[in-house]
Amino acid sequence: MTRFGLLLTSDSFASQSLASALLFAKTAVTLGHSIEHIFLYQDAVYSAANHIDLPADEPDLSAELAQFCQQHNIPLLFCVTAAEKRGVTGSNLSARPGYIAAGLAEFAMRQTNIDKLVQF
């Protein structure tokens, strides 16, 4: 059994990174591996934005990821500094339910608990 950490850095609205990470996580768990954490950094923090209004015909992969993480007890973290710089969080803005604000130090400390880090 491999313990994975996932790192997302690409904007999920401009790439397939979130869909790919979600598929990877589901497959890994199904095969008996574990996902120790998922960390959103750089433009990937847009996935944590609570104020994004998606068109009705687009799947809400951010909500699906949060639900998956809650079902499997996987910490779903986003870099609070990257989020503030991009207007995702701040004085009047909050993150989506299921997403946890964290710093790079916490991300670095979590690397000691995994076998492999996969970046999307």
Side-chain angles (χ1 to χ4, degrees):
M1 179 179 84
T2 303
R3 298 173 299 167
F4 290 101
L6 304 185
L7 172 64
L8 283 74
T9 56
S10 299
D11 182 355
S12 63
F13 302 111
S15 71
Q16 291 292 325
S17 62
L18 185 58
S20 297
L22 185 56
L23 179 61
F24 179 91
K26 287 179 177 180
T27 303
V29 168
T30 299
L31 294 175
H33 303 291
S34 66
I35 306 295
E36 298 297 316
H37 64 270
I38 298 176
F39 190 81
L40 282 63
Y41 187 54
Q42 296 173 337
D43 286 345
V45 299
Y46 287 120
S47 297
N50 200 21
H51 59 279
I52 300 294
D53 187 21
L54 291 174
D57 62 341
E58 286 189 31
D60 190 350
L61 294 175
S62 295
E64 190 176 336
L65 178 63
Q67 182 181 14
F68 173 80
C69 287
Q70 288 173 344
Q71 287 174 343
H72 296 282
N73 229 12
I74 300 169
L76 179 55
L77 312 165
F78 68 93
C79 179
V80 67
T81 303
E84 288 175 355
K85 286 181 179 180
R86 289 164 175 80
V88 172
T89 60
S91 58
N92 294 329
L93 300 172
S94 62
R96 296 179 78 128
Y99 286 77
I100 304 163
L104 285 177
E106 181 172 348
F107 171 68
M109 290 187 311
R110 288 178 176 272
Q111 301 319 298
T112 61
N113 300 326
I114 63 171
D115 299 313
K116 295 183 180 188
L117 179 66
V118 181
Q119 182 176 351
F120 295 90

